[in-house]
Amino acid sequence: MDDADLKIALEKMAALRRVECFDPRDPESRPNAQQSALFADIADIITRYVVSGNQCGKSASGAKEVSLIFENQNPYWDTQAAYPNTPLLLLVIGRVGAQVEEELWNRKIEPLLTPGCYKKHMTGGVLQKVTHLTNGNTIMFMSHHNIKEAREKAQGYVAHYVWVDEMPSSVSFLIELEMRLIANRGRFLATFTPLLRNTQIKDKVEALTAPIGRKYQWSMLDN
């Protein structure tokens, strides 16, 4: 095997490890049974809510799913068949802007992506979106710290996928985000620890029934 062939083989091996691994810090890591069930349910369940304590792998699961969809590699949801020749719009929404960029993008999503496959778009030094250079898919980043601003911004999008990390203060905001997906029959994922009591959000999550929605409750010991 010459140097060129070796380089191609190593790149293919690295790409396979990125697709299979769960934690970008450990190429040999794999999702546990509960995380795997969450990933598989994207095929049939429209809205999924992971409501559990800290250190359960909630955010890591959202980041893994985003990375696979962004690169059209999700094994459970064939977006190329569902949306042929159509660039996807993914909304990634966290509590505050710094947390979205530093924790969700820098530490969790970006390390799972193929190096050089994307372009970051910054405004005033703040990450706004990331576009895939080959398939045209876009990840838009938002904060739900100011619910009024977040709702107004979200209303401008018709998305294919939404991931909300950390619990927002308003159930109406979650409903608004779910509505952004109706036209495309998209998928919704929320991952949060209910640190503040919000009866409306609790009632909404508890009332979920498949195939419209499903609630997942994980333990730190399972991660």
Side-chain angles (χ1 to χ4, degrees):
M1 180 181 293
D2 60 26
D3 290 345
D5 290 336
L6 178 60
K7 181 180 179 181
I8 292 173
L10 290 174
E11 288 175 350
K12 288 183 177 179
M13 183 179 299
L16 181 61
R17 284 182 173 177
R18 278 193 299 272
V19 170
E20 293 184 343
C21 82
F22 179 74
D23 185 339
R25 297 168 298 181
D26 180 6
E28 303 305 318
S29 63
R30 298 294 183 268
N32 62 33
Q34 291 182 322
Q35 292 157 350
S36 295
L38 173 75
F39 294 148
D41 279 350
I42 194 173
D44 303 306
I45 307 297
I46 297 173
T47 60
R48 293 161 298 147
Y49 282 78
V50 183
V51 184
S52 301
N54 292 320
Q55 305 302 313
C56 294
K58 302 185 305 299
S59 297
S61 297
K64 179 61 181 178
E65 190 164 84
V66 166
S67 71
L68 291 172
I69 295 171
F70 182 64
E71 295 206 58
N72 287 340
Q73 292 180 327
N74 191 293
Y76 304 107
W77 190 33
D78 189 348
T79 53
Q80 291 178 290
Y83 313 104
N85 303 314
T86 302
L88 306 179
L89 175 60
L90 294 75
L91 304 184
V92 171
I93 306 166
R95 188 171 60 83
V96 294
Q99 179 252 353
V100 172
E101 182 171 353
E102 295 170 13
E103 185 65 23
L104 302 186
W105 168 253
N106 289 343
R107 297 183 185 181
K108 290 184 168 66
I109 300 174
E110 186 175 28
L112 290 167
L113 300 180
T114 303
C117 79
Y118 56 87
K119 178 180 180 181
K120 298 192 293 185
H121 302 264
M122 316 285 288
T123 300
V126 177
L127 181 66
Q128 300 295 320
K129 66 179 181 179
V130 174
T131 55
H132 197 284
L133 297 176
T134 302
N135 61 38
N137 294 344
T138 298
I139 304 174
M140 296 291 305
F141 298 95
M142 296 171 52
S143 161
H144 58 68
H145 178 68
N146 185 318
I147 285 293
K148 184 176 183 294
E149 287 185 4
R151 183 182 293 111
E152 291 174 353
K153 185 174 182 179
Q155 288 172 349
Y157 299 113
V158 176
H160 300 85
Y161 178 89
V162 173
W163 171 32
V164 181
D165 190 58
E166 303 292 348
M167 190 178 82
S169 60
S170 168
V171 70
S172 64
F173 179 61
L174 293 172
I175 294 171
E176 180 64 47
L177 291 174
E178 291 174 3
M179 291 176 62
R180 300 300 95 208
L181 298 164
I182 292 176
N184 290 322
R185 295 184 59 83
R187 296 294 187 269
F188 179 91
L189 175 66
T191 56
F192 56 76
T193 300
L195 298 176
L196 299 176
R197 183 171 179 80
N198 187 309
T199 303
Q200 290 180 316
I201 292 179
K202 179 178 182 295
D203 290 346
K204 172 178 172 53
V205 174
E206 294 294 339
L208 293 171
T209 56
I212 301 301
R214 179 167 290 165
K215 172 189 174 183
Y216 306 79
Q217 199 152 13
W218 297 344
S219 167
M220 180 176 65
L221 298 178
D222 296 323
N223 188 30

